[in-house]
Amino acid sequence: MEMPKREEYRLRPLEESDLEQLLEWRNSDRIRANMYSDHIISMDEHRKWFENNSNSESTIYKIFEFKSRSIGVANVIQVDMHNRKCFWAFYLGDINVPRGSGAVMEFLFLEYIFEVLQIRKLCCEVFAFNISTIKLHKKFGFTEEGCFKQHILKNGKYEDVISMALLQDEWIINKPKIEIVCFGKS
């Protein structure tokens, strides 16, 4: 298997021209299955969401591209620069992507969060049933900090949510070996 090439991928700011594609992804069964909000989102609701987030200093959305084609989205929310912490989430919206693209997106966004934004602690919440995402985060050095029992109502059942975090110091130490896993040796 050929390793992903870093130069074929990039993160860029979310723009209004991305809204239609993003709404299609957000409303897909595959994405909604792992999100807290799982209703079908209208374009009006989506536009209001975009306007609110575009004007927020505590939220950043990035589109993830492969060879200039939008394939995913990543975001940080609840950015708290006093404590230098935030929450994050991401997903590949497109399923027709090279193997390893999810890991590349995680790598590039973690690099942005810790090295550009200078966040000290990155937090996330993942449904306990989302084993593949939990495993991926652990490969990047995230640790489980707790479990919120029966935390979110999903398909008529209250689901457990795993709280995970990664510290900037841990990222800096682990980054070289994670970079090799994602892109191979240069």
Side-chain angles (χ1 to χ4, degrees), residues 107 110 114-115 167-175:
F107 181 89
L110 291 178
F114 290 122
E115 298 174 34
L167 298 174
Q168 184 182 39
D169 296 352
E170 297 164 341
W171 165 252
I172 298 302
I173 290 167
N174 292 320
K175 180 184 175 182

Side-chain angles (χ1 to χ4, degrees), residues 88-104:
W88 84 307
F90 78 95
Y91 58 83
L92 287 171
D94 194 327
I95 56 171
N96 185 22
V97 298
R99 187 167 166 78
S101 292
V104 171

Side-chain angles (χ1 to χ4, degrees), residues 53-65:
N53 285 302
S54 296
N55 299 320
S56 171
E57 292 183 12
S58 65
T59 304
I60 300 168
Y61 277 83
K62 297 281 189 182
I63 292 293
F64 180 58
E65 293 182 334

Side-chain angles (χ1 to χ4, degrees), residues 44-167:
D44 279 349
E45 183 182 356
H46 190 52
R47 284 195 186 286
K48 285 179 185 143
W49 165 88
F50 177 72
E51 288 167 16
N52 288 340
N53 285 302
S54 296
N55 299 320
S56 171
E57 292 183 12
S58 65
T59 304
I60 300 168
Y61 277 83
K62 297 281 189 182
I63 292 293
F64 180 58
E65 293 182 334
F66 172 69
K67 295 183 176 180
S68 301
R69 179 173 58 99
S70 300
I71 62 170
V73 64
N75 70 292
V76 291
I77 61 170
Q78 299 176 32
V79 176
D80 170 356
M81 290 313 289
H82 176 74
N83 292 301
R84 293 182 41 223
K85 67 182 180 78
C86 65
F87 283 80
W88 84 307
F90 78 95
Y91 58 83
L92 287 171
D94 194 327
I95 56 171
N96 185 22
V97 298
R99 187 167 166 78
S101 292
V104 171
M105 180 165 39
E106 183 153 350
F107 181 89
L108 293 179
F109 205 53
L110 291 178
E111 192 173 59
Y112 171 77
I113 290 166
F114 290 122
E115 298 174 34
V116 176
L117 297 180
Q118 289 295 309
I119 293 297
R120 180 190 57 80
K121 182 177 183 179
L122 180 60
C123 307
C124 65
E125 295 176 356
V126 182
F127 280 115
F129 60 71
N130 192 347
I131 304 297
S132 61
T133 297
I134 292 169
K135 283 181 179 177
L136 180 63
H137 287 342
K138 285 182 176 181
K139 284 181 184 174
F140 278 80
F142 280 82
T143 56
E144 288 187 30
E145 292 196 328
C147 177
F148 302 112
K149 294 286 188 187
Q150 299 180 17
H151 196 60
I152 297 291
L153 183 62
K154 192 84 174 159
N155 299 320
K157 180 182 172 209
Y158 286 97
E159 295 287 351
D160 294 350
V161 172
I162 305 298
S163 170
M164 302 183 81
L166 178 62
L167 298 174

